[in-house]
């Protein structure tokens, strides 16, 4: 009788320990899957064909004008051409060139050579959106006016 009891005890210990190992293995697989999902983040820098020319008529940030025609060409080498013309004031567009950089979020570009006006843009599919001086999206009734549409 002792032998049967001992055999049943050993068998139950073996069964319990093997279940624990399988549970830990499943838990480890779930954790590894979760980690890989977290690190596979898509950004505009990696997933959007952002190079090209973007145009729009934006509200003027200066008090002496109402609207500005703005064109930004994003070049493959992370260079840009920034062209602006204040409607009703400028006869010709003023141009600035330089190199843009992506912010750590991978969705915002900054044009460091542009001063006195917001110089950050959110990159989205087919458009870029001018951000305010704090690199935040402009949330007003006229927020659609801050979009530059990509030429096709």
């Amino acid at each position: 009788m002792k032998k049967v009891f001992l055999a049943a005890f050993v068998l139950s210990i073996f069964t319990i320990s093997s279940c624990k190992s399988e549970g830990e293995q499943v838990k480890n697989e779930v954790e590894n899957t979760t980690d890989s999902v977290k690190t596979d983040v898509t950004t505009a820098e990696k997933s959007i064909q952002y190079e090209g020319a973007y145009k729009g008529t934006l509200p003027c940030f200066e008090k002496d004008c109402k609207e500005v025609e703005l064109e930004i060409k994003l070049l493959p080498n992370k260079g840009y051409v920034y062209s602006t013309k204040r409607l009703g004031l400028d006869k010709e567009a003023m141009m600035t060139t330089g190199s843009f950089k992506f912010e750590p979020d991978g969705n915002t570009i900054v044009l460091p050579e542009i001063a006195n006006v917001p110089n950050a843009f959110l990159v989205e599919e087919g458009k870029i959106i001018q951000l305010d001086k704090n690199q935040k999206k402009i949330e007003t009734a006229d927020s659609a006016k801050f979009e530059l549409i990509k030429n096709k």
Side-chain angles (χ1 to χ4, degrees):
M1 178 84 165
K2 287 184 180 181
K3 289 181 183 181
V4 173
F5 180 70
L6 184 61
F9 179 73
V10 170
L11 186 59
S12 64
I13 295 293
F14 178 72
T15 304
I16 291 171
S17 66
S18 67
C19 289
K20 182 179 178 186
S21 297
E22 287 177 21
E24 287 178 0
Q25 184 177 1
V26 169
K27 181 181 174 186
N28 289 339
E29 287 176 14
V30 169
E31 287 174 356
N32 291 340
T33 303
T34 305
D35 290 343
S36 67
V37 170
K38 287 179 186 175
T39 58
D40 188 23
V41 176
T42 56
T43 63
E45 182 177 15
K46 294 178 182 176
S47 65
I48 295 177
Q49 180 62 27
Y50 58 83
E51 291 107 356
Y54 297 84
K55 290 184 179 183
T57 303
L58 281 64
C60 190
F61 279 94
E62 300 172 3
K63 295 181 184 204
D64 61 347
C65 69
K66 290 185 179 182
E67 293 182 313
V68 174
E69 283 181 357
L70 181 60
E71 180 178 7
I72 299 175
K73 293 179 185 171
L74 300 178
L75 307 173
N77 61 354
K78 294 207 177 163
Y80 71 87
V81 178
Y82 180 93
S83 174
T84 182
K85 180 179 177 184
R86 296 175 298 170
L87 298 178
L89 293 175
D90 299 332
K91 294 186 192 264
E92 295 183 22
M94 305 226 356
M95 296 178 77
T96 304
T97 60
S99 296
F100 68 88
K101 65 176 183 157
F102 272 94
E103 289 293 287
D105 69 4
N107 297 314
T108 304
I109 59 170
V110 176
L111 314 177
E113 293 81 7
I114 304 302
N116 301 325
V117 294
N119 65 347
F121 295 84
L122 179 64
V123 178
E124 292 185 356
E125 190 68 48
K127 64 184 173 183
I128 57 176
I129 302 168
Q130 186 177 40
L131 303 175
D132 67 14
K133 289 187 178 190
N134 298 317
Q135 295 186 6
K136 302 288 182 207
K137 209 168 185 181
I138 299 169
E139 301 288 346
T140 66
D142 297 335
S143 60
K145 292 183 178 182
F146 294 93
E147 295 179 0
L148 302 173
I149 305 301
K150 187 174 184 179
N151 294 343
K152 295 181 180 186

